[in-house]
Amino acid sequence: MRKRQAKKRPLLPDPRFNDQLVTRFVNMMMWDGKKSVAFKVFYEAIDIVEQKKTDDEKTALEIWKDALSNVMPHVEVRSRRVGGATFQIPMQIRPDRKVSTAMKWLINFARKRNEKSMPQKLAAEILAAAKEEGAAVKKRLDTHRMAEANKAFSHFRF
């Protein structure tokens, strides 16, 4: 390799929960470098989750973390050409990639929902994912199903 691997930049924990995972999520949700807007959206969504939650033992942040872990895929398929044919090969995912994939899915499917504002969309998707339902969880199940279907090609691993 000519270039070295990029250094991981340290993330500052967020102001309200003092959690780096929250900052990472907000950074992914942010558009056009508008971080304060993204934080406002996230905190409003968390407040909505706090009001709507049914489980009293858990805080809204814990519900969000549960939602993330429910959306996290464990295997994914990667394309690989073997002798003129392209195979979908199931592979394990690195831990940091699991988290970022889960975040991407949660944010994208929240954006596609049809509530009024982004905080409401995000809150609805978080609550759905925490209950093992919603579009983001469906995406994870589809990914796992695809990996299961292509298990026969796992000996082609890179």
Side-chain angles (χ1 to χ4, degrees):
M1 283 198 307
R2 243 180 231 268
K3 291 192 174 176
R4 285 210 321 267
Q5 201 157 9
K7 281 209 290 284
K8 282 258 183 263
R9 292 210 186 108
L11 274 179
L12 289 170
D14 77 300
R16 190 158 133 190
F17 300 111
N18 210 24
D19 194 342
Q20 286 186 329
L21 205 62
V22 172
T23 311
R24 199 165 152 190
F25 188 82
V26 167
N27 285 348
M28 270 191 183
M29 200 167 54
M30 169 171 62
W31 265 338
D32 301 333
K34 301 198 173 227
K35 198 176 227 167
S36 55
V37 173
F39 265 122
K40 202 155 62 179
V41 166
F42 180 78
Y43 290 146
E44 277 178 40
I46 288 292
D47 292 338
I48 295 170
V49 169
E50 190 66 58
Q51 290 159 14
K52 288 188 177 175
K53 70 178 186 189
T54 48
D55 188 4
D56 289 333
E57 286 95 69
K58 287 184 177 167
T59 64
L61 192 71
E62 283 169 344
I63 290 176
W64 171 72
K65 284 187 175 168
D66 283 353
L68 261 186
S69 58
N70 286 347
V71 174
M72 243 178 253
H74 299 297
V75 282
E76 67 179 349
V77 289
R78 288 244 173 111
S79 298
R80 175 155 190 222
R81 287 193 56 118
V82 179
T86 308
F87 293 109
Q88 300 276 21
I89 299 164
M91 308 214 24
Q92 291 295 321
I93 314 185
R94 295 192 317 277
D96 56 330
R97 186 170 155 76
K98 273 184 197 178
V99 176
S100 49
T101 312
M103 286 179 178
K104 271 183 207 132
W105 288 350
L106 206 58
I107 292 164
N108 288 338
F109 287 113
R111 282 187 179 138
K112 286 178 190 159
R113 286 181 83 96
N114 44 17
E115 274 87 3
K116 283 274 193 292
S117 65
M118 187 56 192
Q120 287 169 330
K121 292 177 183 182
L122 187 59
E125 193 60 46
I126 288 168
L127 286 163
K131 287 188 281 199
E132 289 270 358
E133 47 200 48
V137 175
K138 186 178 180 303
K139 174 82 171 167
R140 185 207 66 192
L141 291 172
D142 289 347
T143 306
H144 280 190
R145 210 169 289 133
M146 200 135 94
E148 188 65 33
N150 290 304
K151 209 164 59 180
F153 305 127
S154 60
H155 64 281
F156 285 135
R157 281 218 184 115
F158 300 95

